[in-house]
PDB file of all heavy atoms in Angstrom:
ATOM      1  N   MET A 112      86.356 102.733  98.008  1.00 97.00           N
ATOM      2  CA  MET A 112      87.541 101.931  97.716  1.00 97.00           C
ATOM      3  C   MET A 112      87.736 101.826  96.204  1.00 97.00           C
ATOM      4  O   MET A 112      86.788 101.573  95.463  1.00 97.00           O
ATOM      5  CB  MET A 112      87.351 100.529  98.290  1.00 97.00           C
ATOM      6  CG  MET A 112      88.522  99.600  98.115  1.00 97.00           C
ATOM      7  SD  MET A 112      89.752  99.755  99.410  1.00 97.00           S
ATOM      8  CE  MET A 112      88.833  99.279 100.851  1.00 97.00           C
ATOM      9  N   VAL A 113      88.989 102.028  95.766  1.00 98.00           N
ATOM     10  CA  VAL A 113      89.351 101.897  94.356  1.00 98.00           C
ATOM     11  C   VAL A 113      90.375 100.772  94.227  1.00 98.00           C
ATOM     12  O   VAL A 113      91.377 100.752  94.940  1.00 98.00           O
ATOM     13  CB  VAL A 113      89.949 103.212  93.800  1.00 98.00           C
ATOM     14  CG1 VAL A 113      90.352 103.038  92.342  1.00 98.00           C
ATOM     15  CG2 VAL A 113      88.957 104.359  93.957  1.00 98.00           C
ATOM     16  N   GLU A 114      90.090  99.835  93.325  1.00 98.00           N
ATOM     17  CA  GLU A 114      91.018  98.745  93.022  1.00 98.00           C
ATOM     18  C   GLU A 114      91.459  98.893  91.574  1.00 98.00           C
ATOM     19  O   GLU A 114      90.631  99.057  90.684  1.00 98.00           O
ATOM     20  CB  GLU A 114      90.341  97.389  93.201  1.00 98.00           C
ATOM     21  CG  GLU A 114      89.823  97.148  94.604  1.00 98.00           C
ATOM     22  CD  GLU A 114      89.046  95.846  94.715  1.00 98.00           C
ATOM     23  OE1 GLU A 114      89.440  94.851  94.081  1.00 98.00           O
ATOM     24  OE2 GLU A 114      88.035  95.848  95.430  1.00 98.00           O
ATOM     25  N   VAL A 115      92.767  98.845  91.362  1.00 98.00           N
ATOM     26  CA  VAL A 115      93.330  98.978  90.023  1.00 98.00           C
ATOM     27  C   VAL A 115      94.177  97.747  89.739  1.00 98.00           C
ATOM     28  O   VAL A 115      95.084  97.423  90.509  1.00 98.00           O
ATOM     29  CB  VAL A 115      94.212 100.249  89.902  1.00 98.00           C
ATOM     30  CG1 VAL A 115      94.811 100.352  88.511  1.00 98.00           C
ATOM     31  CG2 VAL A 115      93.408 101.496  90.249  1.00 98.00           C
ATOM     32  N   GLU A 116      93.863  97.053  88.661  1.00 98.00           N
ATOM     33  CA  GLU A 116      94.680  95.928  88.211  1.00 98.00           C
ATOM     34  C   GLU A 116      95.392  96.333  86.932  1.00 98.00           C
ATOM     35  O   GLU A 116      94.784  96.945  86.042  1.00 98.00           O
ATOM     36  CB  GLU A 116      93.816  94.705  87.918  1.00 98.00           C
ATOM     37  CG  GLU A 116      93.330  93.974  89.135  1.00 98.00           C
ATOM     38  CD  GLU A 116      92.636  92.686  88.739  1.00 98.00           C
ATOM     39  OE1 GLU A 116      93.338  91.752  88.293  1.00 98.00           O
ATOM     40  OE2 GLU A 116      91.406  92.637  88.867  1.00 98.00           O
ATOM     41  N   LEU A 117      96.672  96.003  86.851  1.00 98.00           N
ATOM     42  CA  LEU A 117      97.472  96.264  85.659  1.00 98.00           C
ATOM     43  C   LEU A 117      97.773  94.916  85.017  1.00 98.00           C
ATOM     44  O   LEU A 117      98.524  94.105  85.576  1.00 98.00           O
ATOM     45  CB  LEU A 117      98.758  96.994  86.030  1.00 98.00           C
ATOM     46  CG  LEU A 117      98.579  98.283  86.832  1.00 98.00           C
ATOM     47  CD1 LEU A 117      99.940  98.865  87.209  1.00 98.00           C
ATOM     48  CD2 LEU A 117      97.744  99.298  86.071  1.00 98.00           C
ATOM     49  N   VAL A 118      97.183  94.662  83.850  1.00 98.00           N
ATOM     50  CA  VAL A 118      97.295  93.375  83.184  1.00 98.00           C
ATOM     51  C   VAL A 118      98.163  93.533  81.940  1.00 98.00           C
ATOM     52  O   VAL A 118      97.795  94.289  81.024  1.00 98.00           O
ATOM     53  CB  VAL A 118      95.900  92.834  82.801  1.00 98.00           C
ATOM     54  CG1 VAL A 118      96.017  91.477  82.123  1.00 98.00           C
ATOM     55  CG2 VAL A 118      94.995  92.763  84.035  1.00 98.00           C
ATOM     56  N   PRO A 119      99.314  92.846  81.888  1.00 98.00           N
ATOM     57  CA  PRO A 119     100.152  92.940  80.686  1.00 98.00           C
ATOM     58  C   PRO A 119      99.385  92.447  79.458  1.00 98.00           C
ATOM     59  O   PRO A 119      98.650  91.463  79.520  1.00 98.00           O
ATOM     60  CB  PRO A 119     101.332  92.012  80.984  1.00 98.00           C
ATOM     61  CG  PRO A 119     101.303  91.780  82.458  1.00 98.00           C
ATOM     62  CD  PRO A 119      99.868  91.933  82.883  1.00 98.00           C
ATOM     63  N   ASP A 120      99.582  93.142  78.337  1.00 98.00           N
ATOM     64  CA  ASP A 120      98.946  92.782  77.077  1.00 98.00           C
ATOM     65  C   ASP A 120      99.948  93.072  75.967  1.00 98.00           C
ATOM     66  O   ASP A 120      99.931  94.163  75.386  1.00 98.00           O
ATOM     67  CB  ASP A 120      97.652  93.574  76.903  1.00 98.00           C
ATOM     68  CG  ASP A 120      96.871  93.146  75.671  1.00 98.00           C
ATOM     69  OD1 ASP A 120      97.077  92.008  75.179  1.00 98.00           O
ATOM     70  OD2 ASP A 120      96.035  93.952  75.192  1.00 98.00           O
ATOM     71  N   GLY A 121     100.868  92.142  75.737  1.00 97.00           N
ATOM     72  CA  GLY A 121     101.968  92.389  74.811  1.00 97.00           C
ATOM     73  C   GLY A 121     102.851  93.480  75.382  1.00 97.00           C
ATOM     74  O   GLY A 121     103.259  93.422  76.542  1.00 97.00           O
ATOM     75  N   ASP A 122     103.092  94.533  74.599  1.00 97.00           N
ATOM     76  CA  ASP A 122     103.877  95.680  75.069  1.00 97.00           C
ATOM     77  C   ASP A 122     103.009  96.717  75.771  1.00 97.00           C
ATOM     78  O   ASP A 122     103.505  97.774  76.160  1.00 97.00           O
ATOM     79  CB  ASP A 122     104.596  96.348  73.890  1.00 97.00           C
ATOM     80  CG  ASP A 122     105.678  95.464  73.300  1.00 97.00           C
ATOM     81  OD1 ASP A 122     106.194  94.591  74.036  1.00 97.00           O
ATOM     82  OD2 ASP A 122     106.008  95.635  72.113  1.00 97.00           O
ATOM     83  N   ALA A 123     101.734  96.423  75.927  1.00 98.00           N
ATOM     84  CA  ALA A 123     100.787  97.372  76.505  1.00 98.00           C
ATOM     85  C   ALA A 123     100.294  96.872  77.870  1.00 98.00           C
ATOM     86  O   ALA A 123     100.732  95.823  78.356  1.00 98.00           O
ATOM     87  CB  ALA A 123      99.602  97.559  75.557  1.00 98.00           C
TER      88      ALA A 123
END
Side-chain angles (χ1 to χ4, degrees):
M112 182 86 63
V113 178
E114 300 175 38
V115 179
E116 284 187 71
L117 306 177
V118 181
D120 186 22
D122 292 335

